[in-house]
Amino acid sequence: MSGYTRIERKLDEIRTLVIEPHIQPNNPNSCLVKLGNTHVLCSAVIEDRVPGFLRNSGKGWLTAEYGMLPSSTNERVDREAARGKQSGRTQEIQRLIGRSLRCAVNLDVLGEKTIKIDCDVISADGGTRTASIIGGYVSLARAINSYKKKYNLNNPIIVNQIAAISVGVVKGTACIDLDYPEDSSAEVDCNVVMSNDGQFIEFQSTGEEAKFTKQTILEFIDLVEKVMPVINKAQDTAISVE
């Protein structure tokens, strides 16, 4: 594929990734993820209860909430609480974050606890859902580490490291980590969630009024596999901060 040239970075490079832990004074498990101009505030809280369908099961649960703050885009976004309901997009992203991060946790070992992951978009420039998963995992791991330390637990609760990134075809060219202009004009849009053992958790690929081939999917996989170690390293660094 050819036809598109990035000005500031290579086709196989993600935007600058910065993860700042303990960003909220009241929650040491919080973090701010900056993926280029996409900034997402993430946090995790462990509660002593589970949904009704899990009561007396001995098993825990993980759920996620996602939202975009009013000035996160060029035009003000109304708070969904003011409208009285969440959009279909918000619900879909919340389910994606929850599904992805449940793969990180042994819920049987957790016991009847619920982990709540909150992801609030401060600035949106493409890839908000993947940035939410990157930061959501950091907050999750920090929360679990604190929980184990507090109760002197040794059994592994975190069983997979989870990260995500977008990839797509822009002007006939496959490239990683699409910003908003790239995403809005992409012929093919894809979000990939992976664990650190190289296995896929989610592979959402859609042709935007275009078809794509098996070769395109293989190009996507090559791009994602190249950058995942970079993302994992940034996550590890943020998790280790006291």
Side-chain angles (χ1 to χ4, degrees):
M1 293 185 180
S2 61
Y4 178 64
T5 302
R6 280 176 163 167
I7 297 174
E8 297 181 352
R9 58 194 168 102
K10 297 178 181 179
L11 297 171
D12 58 357
E13 288 181 339
I14 64 171
R15 292 169 287 178
T16 300
L17 173 60
V18 177
I19 307 176
E20 301 176 16
H22 201 166
I23 199 72
Q24 292 178 292
N26 293 324
N27 189 343
N29 307 320
S30 60
C31 70
L32 178 63
V33 178
K34 297 179 180 179
L35 188 58
N37 289 325
T38 290
H39 301 171
V40 184
L41 175 63
C42 301
S43 63
V45 173
I46 302 176
E47 297 184 342
D48 286 315
R49 56 183 174 179
V50 290
F53 70 92
L54 284 174
R55 286 178 192 151
N56 302 316
S57 69
K59 185 175 181 179
W61 187 242
L62 183 149
T63 187
E65 293 187 13
Y66 166 96
M68 296 182 67
L69 298 184
S71 294
S72 58
T73 61
N74 290 333
E75 296 184 2
R76 185 184 185 277
V77 179
D78 288 338
R79 296 182 191 274
E80 293 186 325
R83 295 202 300 262
K85 66 176 183 178
Q86 292 180 316
S87 68
R89 174 184 180 274
T90 295
Q91 294 180 52
E92 187 270 327
I93 292 175
Q94 288 182 166
R95 287 193 288 266
L96 170 64
I97 297 168
R99 283 196 307 270
S100 300
L101 296 182
R102 279 194 290 273
C103 291
V105 186
N106 185 336
L107 295 171
D108 293 322
V109 174
L110 180 64
E112 292 194 20
K113 311 282 184 182
T114 294
I115 305 170
K116 291 188 175 180
I117 308 293
D118 288 296
C119 303
D120 292 290
V121 179
I122 298 173
S123 175
D125 185 32
T128 61
R129 71 189 68 195
T130 55
S132 295
I133 292 170
I134 291 169
Y137 173 79
V138 170
S139 290
L140 167 63
R142 288 177 64 87
I144 292 297
N145 288 346
S146 297
Y147 178 77
K148 290 180 66 175
K149 185 176 180 180
K150 180 179 179 180
Y151 293 101
N152 195 26
L153 302 176
N154 294 316
N155 291 337
I157 298 176
I158 296 288
V159 292
N160 291 296
Q161 182 173 1
I162 307 299
I165 200 68
S166 66
V167 65
V169 175
V170 181
K171 295 182 180 179
T173 305
C175 49
I176 197 85
D177 186 26
L178 278 58
D179 58 23
Y180 179 75
E182 292 170 336
D183 183 59
S184 61
S185 63
E187 297 100 74
V188 183
D189 182 29
C190 183
N191 294 295
V192 182
V193 185
M194 291 185 71
S195 57
N196 63 327
D197 61 0
Q199 297 191 63
F200 294 94
I201 295 166
E202 197 99 15
F203 197 100
Q204 300 178 336
S205 191
T206 305
E208 302 289 346
E209 299 182 5
K211 298 183 290 183
F212 54 96
T213 65
K214 176 181 177 181
Q215 182 59 37
T216 300
I217 295 174
L218 294 175
E219 288 187 55
F220 285 173
I221 292 172
D222 287 343
L223 287 169
V224 172
E225 288 181 336
K226 180 177 180 179
V227 304
M228 278 299 172
V230 176
I231 299 172
N232 290 155
K233 183 178 180 180
Q235 288 176 311
D236 288 338
T237 300
I239 292 166
S240 66
V241 173
E242 294 293 335

